[in-house]
Amino acid sequence: MNSNLNTQETEGMLEILRKICLALPEAVEIVDGFGHNTFKINGKSFVISGEKRLSFKSDRETQEILLEKEYFYKTPYIGHHGWVSIDHPTEELWDELTDLIQEAYLRAAPKRLVKKWMGLHHK
């Protein structure tokens, strides 16, 4: 039963992630060689999801700020590139995570898409 609950939890998080990530222009979802759902823009990853973990691309300054919060931690293997992870994100964190995911997308997106995004969301 616990395994089933974990599957439901993972699928629920994945559905939320898909709604956020795939709403971003030209974002795609792939399953990588490790079985992680990876969201990419122009071949560059900006969100990786596996099991109950959500990881996203950040910059070093933002990463330092996030690591001061108890629920974020440096992503194994790629944290030195600014990646941040969270396990079992709770419902009340999704507004913050949505903003962080959009920032991750903008870090990975080509300039033309960043310009398009800024034009649509900052008028």
Side-chain angles (χ1 to χ4, degrees):
M1 181 171 160
N2 193 15
S3 173
N4 191 25
L5 183 61
N6 289 342
T7 302
Q8 286 178 323
E9 190 177 307
T10 302
E11 284 301 311
M13 181 176 75
L14 197 51
E15 286 306 310
I16 295 168
L17 275 178
R18 284 182 177 131
K19 284 180 186 168
I20 297 167
C21 295
L22 298 178
L24 300 166
E26 298 181 30
V28 296
E29 177 184 2
I30 64 142
V31 177
D32 68 16
F34 298 102
H36 301 130
N37 294 76
T38 303
F39 296 89
K40 294 185 169 212
I41 177 62
N42 205 35
K44 295 181 181 177
S45 301
F46 66 96
V47 170
I48 301 170
S49 172
E51 302 260 330
K52 296 160 287 265
R53 175 188 297 161
L54 162 63
S55 305
F56 54 90
K57 187 173 182 61
S58 188
D59 61 26
R60 297 265 166 78
E61 286 177 45
T62 305
Q63 183 189 48
E64 281 185 33
I65 293 166
L66 293 174
L67 293 178
E68 291 176 10
K69 299 179 180 187
E70 64 184 39
Y71 43 86
F72 287 114
Y73 61 95
K74 198 179 278 193
T75 306
Y77 308 109
I78 56 175
H80 61 284
H81 295 295
W83 282 75
V84 177
S85 291
I86 183 171
D87 291 335
H88 313 283
T90 56
E91 194 175 325
E92 60 270 6
L93 294 177
W94 279 105
D95 283 345
E96 178 181 14
L97 287 170
T98 299
D99 291 342
L100 291 166
I101 289 167
Q102 289 169 346
E103 287 175 22
Y105 166 84
L106 293 172
R107 282 188 184 86
K111 288 180 182 163
R112 69 179 171 80
L113 289 178
V114 173
K115 188 175 178 182
K116 181 178 177 182
W117 173 267
M118 294 305 204
L120 290 171
H121 294 91
H122 293 283
K123 286 192 174 187

